[in-house]
Amino acid sequence: MQSIQSEGYPVIFENSIPELVKFVEQGNYSRFFILTDENTGEHCLPIVQTALAHLDNFDIIEVNAGEENKNIDFCVGVWKMLIDFGADRKALMINLGGGVITDMGGFVASTYKRGIDFVQVPTTLLSQVDASVGGKTGVDVDGIKNIIGTFTQPRAVFMADEFLHTLPPRQILSGLAEMLKHGLIVDRQYWDTLKTSDLSLPSTELIHRSVEIKNEIVLQDPHEKSIRKALNFGHTIGHAVETWSLLNDKDPLTHGEAIAIGMICEAWLSNQKTDLPDNELIEIIEVLGGLYPHYQITEESLPTLLEHMQKDKKNLNGNINCTLLTNIGQYSIDNICFADELCDSLRYYAAL
Amino acid sequence: MQSIQSEGYPVIFENSIPELVKFVEQGNYSRFFILTDENTGEHCLPIVQTALAHLDNFDIIEVNAGEENKNIDFCVGVWKMLIDFGADRKALMINLGGGVITDMGGFVASTYKRGIDFVQVPTTLLSQVDASVGGKTGVDVDGIKNIIGTFTQPRAVFMADEFLHTLPPRQILSGLAEMLKHGLIVDRQYWDTLKTSDLSLPSTELIHRSVEIKNEIVLQDPHEKSIRKALNFGHTIGHAVETWSLLNDKDPLTHGEAIAIGMICEAWLSNQKTDLPDNELIEIIEVLGGLYPHYQITEESLPTLLEHMQKDKKNLNGNINCTLLTNIGQYSIDNICFADELCDSLRYYAAL
């Protein structure tokens, strides 16, 4: 399967682990560092470590897993480790893990000594289809997602499907939400294919197409000034629900579960504001409702959810900005949504 | 006096405050934030605030003064304030202060929501001649200077000499060290002019030439891969002495005082390793010794000083790298210096 060329770097789909080894061997790096978390350390690190065993110039930096650890304190910890290991400007970071590791590792690398090289080895479906192209790095502050970060491209991305086999079904569903979104915003045919596929473990072809769609969008608008906002469909409300759940639930929603809720709410808003046809709204609700469990949203939580939306990075001039659909496969950016409308969309979801 | 064009932005020397006001008025920013510290807040902020008084869409963020506060905790504080003030991606940061404010403010702006616009209004001689061009932003971790940062250009730099009138003589001397360095590395004639000028308050012409020299160098090598290292003359040893003093002295050395020591040590190394003529070494010692007080460096401090040098960003493959001189006005980069040599240079300085 062909690699995808993104902004100055390849996303490699075939023989990814041997290709990673070749990259490291030929890269003339002074030393390399594998950033990983305890989950990845257990399931994926052994594969990479075995492949790299003949090299001796590397260290492993393991951090705690989970979105709640994607904060600046963890970055400080990793920076200090790089200092202690004597990492110089010709060091390489290999970010091996899900989105927390690739986002945070990318930020750490892009700011250490004003920037060292890094590569991404995403090990979850979500990070493969969402974090592998686009050059966004980021960490959370005060629970606000990715409020701090940079736009910095990795040197390469290595996609290995062997990592996906160890993922629990909920993690697969989490990534699937982004794939469905890619269909909804620009590719009706891809949406139709996904609907009728076995989605318990999406095929590499389906993943490839998802990365291709995202890549086409980000290449046209690397710094999210215009059409890249298409990718935010479902995310204004979805991020708020995700933050709420992270702060309130013992077993918080996954990113994809929250985005699925956001997509239903924003499909309803699309029906109200940008003429998404009724039958397409129903189709979206049926597909997402069939895949994701229903989540209870109470009237009391609405003010806090709105507050989270008000802190969204995409807002301008104090207005809450949504990407909506005009049809399945067609998006519309920069739709200002008022508090009433947003609350009504959440009420609509709650009553489903 | 003509503006200097740097990488995509101007450094403005004439009518700077009115030019800043015009920039803000015409910039289509949603809101702007003036980052300042308590010193600048007292002496310089009133000038800027009066000029901007007719605008109402700004807030002032004041932080504690001093290099010891240029760390990631302060960045977190400023990021949180920006969040609380509702700063969006079209916000502007005006960094009004010395190098701590311009370096840290640049880093905060370059990473907030993955980067908002910022302008620099350097208020010390040091920040005017050193931090105004080059696009380096940075903060310290564990006392290691600028170990975290980005290469990000401001939208403009405004140089106003009225700020310099309130500076104590020691602060003038601190900036002067960088100006003298600019002469030593590439412009013998400029060095000669400086030697014979009244340096109690360097003229705008002298400051302009200093920025011009630095700008010519950084434009050729924005990411410090090669000739930009010329600017590190005096800094390998100087930074170590500065860190030492910051950690050990009640009244620590200024940056320029430390760099003056570093330049004497590295001039001695140049005499030993890159054939800087004896008479030029003596000339450098006489000029710097006439301007800066002698600092006591003890034999016991040498191992710690070496440790600091080993953590320098410029090192590669574990070697300590110095920029040296072959003549006054000519530099030589990437000279590996061994521990013995570095200690001997410090002993040479101590015995002067």
Side-chain angles (χ1 to χ4, degrees):
Chain A
M1 190 168 301
Q2 274 204 307
S3 338
I4 291 176
Q5 192 59 29
S6 194
E7 217 182 315
Y9 67 93
V11 183
I12 292 160
F13 284 81
E14 259 181 8
N15 296 317
S16 294
I17 302 298
E19 288 292 331
L20 169 65
V21 175
K22 214 196 287 175
F23 179 92
V24 173
E25 284 173 347
Q26 297 175 351
N28 194 26
Y29 291 105
S30 57
R31 194 157 189 83
F32 63 101
F33 298 90
I34 303 176
L35 181 72
T36 185
D37 63 30
E38 70 241 31
N39 294 344
T40 323
E42 191 181 337
H43 297 295
C44 307
L45 182 61
I47 300 174
V48 174
Q49 226 174 339
T50 307
L52 292 168
H54 60 295
L55 302 170
D56 58 0
N57 59 334
F58 71 96
D59 295 289
I60 291 163
I61 300 179
E62 193 175 297
V63 298
N64 295 349
E67 179 77 28
E68 67 277 18
N69 297 314
K70 190 176 145 186
N71 59 43
I72 203 79
D73 293 335
F74 266 77
C75 294
V76 172
V78 180
W79 284 324
K80 285 188 180 179
M81 277 173 140
L82 290 172
I83 294 170
D84 289 343
F85 282 133
D88 65 26
R89 284 179 170 169
K90 288 199 171 166
L92 171 72
M93 259 181 80
I94 299 175
N95 299 317
L96 175 73
V100 171
I101 291 293
T102 57
D103 285 5
M104 184 169 79
F107 180 67
V108 165
S110 73
T111 51
Y112 181 71
K113 299 195 177 188
R114 301 202 181 88
I116 59 172
D117 279 2
F118 64 99
V119 296
Q120 307 288 42
V121 190
T123 58
T124 62
L125 182 59
L126 177 60
S127 58
Q128 289 197 351
V129 297
D130 194 37
S132 60
V133 295
K136 284 186 177 180
T137 76
V139 295
D140 308 342
V141 170
D142 272 355
I144 305 174
K145 284 176 64 70
N146 297 322
I147 190 82
I148 303 307
T150 59
F151 285 106
T152 314
Q153 309 298 333
R155 292 291 156 194
V157 177
F158 301 91
M159 307 277 261
D161 57 4
E162 52 256 61
F163 297 136
L164 304 183
H165 301 308
T166 58
L167 284 182
R170 243 186 113 186
Q171 291 302 323
I172 295 290
L173 278 167
S174 183
L176 188 60
E178 294 289 345
M179 298 171 71
L180 290 161
K181 181 196 76 181
H182 292 147
L184 285 175
I185 55 175
V186 292
D187 190 344
R188 163 103 225 181
Q189 201 186 328
Y190 182 57
W191 164 262
D192 289 337
T193 309
L194 286 172
K195 272 192 323 191
T196 53
S197 299
D198 170 17
L199 295 175
S200 60
L201 183 61
S203 67
T204 311
E205 286 71 23
L206 288 175
I207 296 171
H208 188 274
R209 176 65 192 139
S210 205
V211 175
E212 202 169 52
I213 290 175
K214 179 161 184 184
N215 195 45
E216 280 162 14
I217 293 172
V218 298
L219 283 183
Q220 290 175 67
D221 177 23
H223 290 166
E224 200 163 359
K225 305 278 184 203
S226 57
I227 75 151
R228 184 170 179 160
K229 294 182 192 168
L231 296 165
N232 292 323
F233 175 64
H235 281 62
T236 303
I237 296 177
H239 268 165
V241 173
E242 188 179 6
T243 302
W244 163 273
S245 173
L246 201 64
L247 296 172
N248 291 283
D249 295 335
K250 255 197 188 157
D251 180 24
L253 292 172
T254 64
H255 178 71
E257 286 164 351
I259 295 311
I261 297 167
M263 289 196 286
I264 291 175
C265 295
E266 294 181 23
W268 181 82
L269 285 166
S270 303
N271 180 248
Q272 302 286 309
K273 294 170 68 84
T274 52
D275 297 326
L276 178 73
D278 292 349
N279 64 322
E280 297 200 344
L281 169 62
I282 292 164
E283 181 181 333
I284 292 169
I285 293 171
E286 278 176 359
V287 172
L288 297 177
L291 288 164
Y292 299 90
H294 195 266
Y295 181 70
Q296 206 193 346
I297 289 176
T298 61
E299 191 64 29
E300 292 70 46
S301 65
L302 298 184
T304 314
L305 285 169
L306 267 181
E307 254 176 59
H308 292 319
M309 290 179 222
Q310 264 138 11
K311 288 183 182 161
D312 193 283
K313 282 190 297 302
K314 299 178 292 294
N315 297 336
L316 289 178
N317 304 314
N319 294 315
I320 297 176
N321 225 321
C322 287
T323 297
L324 301 178
L325 303 179
T326 53
N327 282 110
I328 290 179
Q330 284 187 318
Y331 64 86
S332 156
I333 62 169
D334 287 337
N335 295 283
I336 293 175
C337 292
F338 298 108
D340 288 3
E341 300 171 317
L342 294 158
C343 287
D344 281 348
S345 77
L346 284 156
R347 289 185 190 109
Y348 175 82
Y349 173 82
L352 283 177
Chain B
M1 190 170 300
Q2 273 205 308
S3 331
I4 291 175
Q5 193 58 29
S6 194
E7 218 182 314
Y9 67 92
V11 183
I12 292 161
F13 285 80
E14 258 180 10
N15 295 317
S16 294
I17 301 299
E19 288 293 330
L20 169 65
V21 175
K22 214 196 289 177
F23 179 92
V24 173
E25 284 173 346
Q26 297 176 351
N28 194 26
Y29 290 105
S30 58
R31 195 158 190 83
F32 62 101
F33 298 90
I34 302 176
L35 181 72
T36 185
D37 63 29
E38 70 240 32
N39 293 343
T40 322
E42 190 182 336
H43 298 296
C44 308
L45 182 61
I47 299 174
V48 173
Q49 227 173 338
T50 307
L52 292 168
H54 60 295
L55 301 170
D56 59 358
N57 59 335
F58 70 97
D59 295 290
I60 291 162
I61 299 178
E62 192 175 298
V63 298
N64 295 349
E67 179 76 29
E68 67 277 20
N69 296 315
K70 190 176 146 186
N71 58 43
I72 203 80
D73 294 335
F74 266 78
C75 294
V76 172
V78 180
W79 285 322
K80 286 188 179 178
M81 277 174 138
L82 289 172
I83 295 169
D84 289 343
F85 282 133
D88 66 24
R89 283 179 171 170
K90 287 199 172 167
L92 170 72
M93 259 182 79
I94 298 175
N95 299 317
L96 175 73
V100 170
I101 290 293
T102 56
D103 284 5
M104 185 169 79
F107 180 67
V108 165
S110 74
T111 52
Y112 180 71
K113 300 196 178 188
R114 298 200 183 90
I116 59 172
D117 280 2
F118 65 99
V119 295
Q120 307 288 42
V121 189
T123 58
T124 62
L125 181 60
L126 177 61
S127 58
Q128 290 198 350
V129 297
D130 194 36
S132 59
V133 294
K136 284 186 177 180
T137 76
V139 295
D140 308 342
V141 170
D142 273 356
I144 305 175
K145 284 175 66 68
N146 296 322
I147 191 81
I148 302 307
T150 59
F151 283 106
T152 313
Q153 308 298 333
R155 291 291 155 193
V157 177
F158 301 92
M159 308 277 261
D161 57 4
E162 51 256 60
F163 297 136
L164 304 184
H165 299 158
T166 58
L167 285 181
R170 245 186 112 186
Q171 290 303 322
I172 295 289
L173 278 167
S174 183
L176 189 60
E178 293 290 345
M179 298 171 70
L180 290 161
K181 181 197 75 181
H182 291 147
L184 285 175
I185 56 175
V186 291
D187 190 344
R188 163 100 226 183
Q189 202 186 326
Y190 182 57
W191 164 262
D192 288 336
T193 309
L194 285 173
K195 271 191 325 191
T196 52
S197 300
D198 169 18
L199 296 175
S200 58
L201 182 61
S203 67
T204 311
E205 286 71 24
L206 288 175
I207 295 171
H208 188 275
R209 175 66 192 139
S210 205
V211 174
E212 201 170 53
I213 289 174
K214 179 160 182 183
N215 194 45
E216 281 163 13
I217 293 172
V218 297
L219 283 183
Q220 291 175 66
D221 177 21
H223 291 168
E224 201 163 359
K225 305 279 183 201
S226 56
I227 76 150
R228 184 169 178 161
K229 295 181 193 169
L231 295 165
N232 291 323
F233 174 64
H235 280 61
T236 303
I237 295 177
H239 268 165
V241 172
E242 188 180 6
T243 303
W244 164 273
S245 172
L246 202 64
L247 297 172
N248 291 282
D249 295 335
K250 256 197 186 158
D251 180 25
L253 292 172
T254 64
H255 178 70
E257 285 165 351
I259 295 311
I261 297 167
M263 288 196 286
I264 291 175
C265 294
E266 295 180 23
W268 180 82
L269 285 166
S270 303
N271 180 249
Q272 301 285 309
K273 292 172 69 84
T274 52
D275 295 328
L276 177 74
D278 292 350
N279 62 322
E280 298 199 343
L281 170 62
I282 292 165
E283 181 181 332
I284 292 168
I285 293 171
E286 278 177 358
V287 172
L288 297 177
L291 288 164
Y292 298 90
H294 195 266
Y295 181 70
Q296 207 191 346
I297 289 175
T298 61
E299 192 64 29
E300 293 71 44
S301 66
L302 298 185
T304 314
L305 286 168
L306 265 182
E307 256 177 58
H308 291 319
M309 290 180 221
Q310 263 139 10
K311 289 183 182 161
D312 193 283
K313 283 190 299 301
K314 301 178 291 295
N315 296 336
L316 289 176
N317 304 314
N319 293 315
I320 296 175
N321 226 321
C322 288
T323 296
L324 301 178
L325 303 178
T326 54
N327 281 110
I328 290 180
Q330 285 188 318
Y331 64 86
S332 157
I333 62 169
D334 287 335
N335 295 284
I336 293 174
C337 292
F338 299 108
D340 288 3
E341 299 172 318
L342 293 159
C343 288
D344 281 349
S345 77
L346 284 157
R347 287 185 192 110
Y348 176 82
Y349 173 82
L352 282 176

